[in-house]
Amino acid sequence: MNTEIQSLTKQAKECVDLLIPLEQEIHQVIAGQKRILERLIIALIADGHVLLEGVPGIAKTLMIKTVAQCIDSGFCRIQFTPDLLPADITGTKIYNQQDCSFKTVKGPVFTQFLLADEINRAPPKVQSALLEAMQERQVTIQGETYSLPDPFFVLATENPIEHEGTYPLPEAQMDRFMFKILMSYPSKTEELLILDRFTEGISYQPKPVITASDIKKIQKIVPSMYADLEVKKYVTSLVDATRNPGDYQIPLASYIRYGASPRASIYLMLGAKAHALLRGRGFVIPDDVKAVAHDVLRHRILLSYLAEAEEVLVDAIIDQILKAVPVP
């Protein structure tokens, strides 16, 4: 077993050598937000999608666009609006009068890196157009199914403070996102750096430092990271505590309407493995699970009306679960 872990650790360090230039290149444009960037990279190498939530003007779109520019892959941005149609995302069939046949015109979803900007501005019918693409990695256009490029990565942004003219994402679609990341304001030091970069007339154009095939190679290595049975039991206990808090002496049953789905266990494990890989380790420890727990669980725990009335935050509930569940 030690030989296997040593081999996995060696692979992890080789992957880190590929990912360090990516992080450095992104920081040439983005000031600070190191934790957010690390979560994006974890989701990318774990082959999961990300929902990024934050107030306007804190560079959500810029960060995602910069990540895409630093990877030698296809990139497309969709600006979600109330008048958007599902066919605007997936594509449609157009009748060709010259040869009396229908031609399939593929939509912007046929790319490797898809930015769904302000996804909560489009109605549910349009939001659900991404469901099949995110989960099955395929799109059905008028009865014909087309495979999407590989790797395929969806990064969606949403604004939490505007409610007029927005449509909350259905729970079924929220569950398709591996992480829901909350992006906050930069620090004063970071904001000074932002002023230097964006008010001096000097702009930095990021260049590709890693290929899509490199990302795909790392995505295949992540699941092979070693996780002990006790760590797996810890993951399942955390998720079970969201469904049955009373079994763990957590007085939260009145605050939780529905707990996390089995997909939460899968993404907790994959996220922990990707986190371990970024640390140059070939094995998972409980701290890796804790590091990604909030991002995996915060959009999968549905709060009750009582919790909303008492303004109980879902992150506070996750904190209590992490404290209550015994760590192996």
Side-chain angles (χ1 to χ4, degrees):
M1 183 60 71
N2 286 337
T3 306
E4 181 189 350
I5 290 176
Q6 286 174 359
S7 173
L8 291 171
T9 298
K10 183 182 177 183
Q11 288 184 60
K13 288 178 179 176
E14 289 171 356
C15 292
V16 170
D17 290 339
L18 288 172
L19 292 169
I20 285 175
L22 173 64
E23 191 173 349
Q24 290 173 341
E25 188 70 11
I26 294 167
H27 278 305
Q28 294 289 330
V29 178
I30 302 297
Q33 303 291 4
K34 190 171 182 180
R35 190 190 72 82
I36 306 296
L37 177 57
E38 183 183 68
R39 293 299 178 273
L40 289 180
I41 293 174
I42 286 173
L44 176 63
I45 63 175
D47 200 13
H49 309 294
V50 172
L51 178 62
L52 189 57
E53 183 179 284
V55 297
I58 55 174
K60 298 188 299 296
T61 303
L62 178 63
M63 174 175 280
I64 294 169
K65 187 178 177 183
T66 304
V67 172
Q69 288 174 325
C70 294
I71 301 170
D72 189 12
S73 64
F75 170 72
C76 199
R77 172 183 174 179
I78 305 173
Q79 185 69 45
F80 278 64
T81 56
D83 61 348
L84 204 67
L85 297 173
D88 295 331
I89 296 172
T90 59
T92 188
K93 287 183 180 291
I94 294 177
Y95 184 69
N96 189 337
Q97 290 184 335
Q98 291 180 339
D99 56 8
C100 300
S101 64
F102 285 92
K103 177 187 176 185
T104 301
V105 178
K106 294 181 178 180
V109 74
F110 287 89
T111 187
Q112 292 174 309
F113 214 103
L114 182 68
L115 167 55
D117 215 1
E118 295 191 89
I119 192 171
N120 57 336
R121 287 197 171 278
K125 189 176 182 180
V126 177
Q127 294 171 359
S128 64
L130 280 176
L131 276 180
E132 183 185 13
M134 292 171 66
Q135 186 62 33
E136 308 297 335
R137 309 299 170 98
Q138 64 182 31
V139 169
T140 302
I141 302 173
Q142 295 184 16
E144 287 191 39
T145 302
Y146 301 88
S147 297
L148 291 169
D150 193 19
F152 176 68
F153 189 44
V154 175
L155 270 162
T157 69
E158 69 175 6
N159 177 356
I161 61 172
E162 286 184 309
H163 299 290
E164 203 161 321
T166 62
Y167 304 83
L169 266 70
E171 282 74 16
Q173 184 164 355
M174 291 283 279
D175 203 37
R176 260 66 174 190
F177 288 101
M178 178 180 183
F179 286 165
K180 180 181 179 181
I181 303 173
L182 303 182
M183 192 168 175
S184 59
Y185 292 110
S187 66
K188 285 175 68 177
T189 306
E190 291 166 356
E191 199 143 358
L192 277 173
L193 192 55
I194 291 169
L195 289 177
D196 288 341
R197 288 182 180 177
F198 294 96
T199 65
E200 303 288 335
I202 303 169
S203 60
Y204 181 82
Q205 187 63 34
K207 59 184 181 295
V209 292
I210 190 170
T211 64
S213 59
D214 287 333
I215 296 294
K216 191 61 191 170
K217 184 176 80 172
I218 298 171
Q219 287 177 344
K220 289 179 179 177
I221 292 173
V222 166
S224 67
M225 296 293 106
Y226 177 74
D228 190 76
L229 179 60
E230 291 302 312
V231 175
K232 293 177 183 177
K233 287 181 178 178
Y234 179 55
V235 167
T236 56
S237 295
L238 286 175
V239 176
D240 186 58
T242 69
R243 305 166 189 160
N244 307 294
D247 294 352
Y248 301 84
Q249 287 74 53
I250 306 172
L252 297 173
S254 60
Y255 291 145
I256 299 175
R257 187 152 48 105
Y258 293 104
S261 70
R263 200 177 275 125
S265 301
I266 295 169
Y267 282 143
L268 261 178
M269 195 74 259
L270 286 174
K273 287 184 175 186
H275 188 270
L277 182 143
L278 281 185
R279 297 295 182 278
R281 273 188 280 106
F283 58 93
V284 179
I285 60 176
D287 282 348
D288 294 318
V289 179
K290 288 181 177 180
V292 299
H294 286 80
D295 300 308
V296 171
L297 295 174
R298 69 164 52 99
H299 56 301
R300 293 186 164 91
I301 298 175
L302 300 186
L303 301 182
S304 65
Y305 295 116
L306 178 63
E308 292 174 9
E310 295 185 9
E311 298 183 347
V312 176
L313 298 177
V314 69
D315 277 25
I317 291 174
I318 297 169
D319 286 338
Q320 289 196 44
I321 290 171
L322 289 171
K323 287 178 184 176
V325 176
V327 179

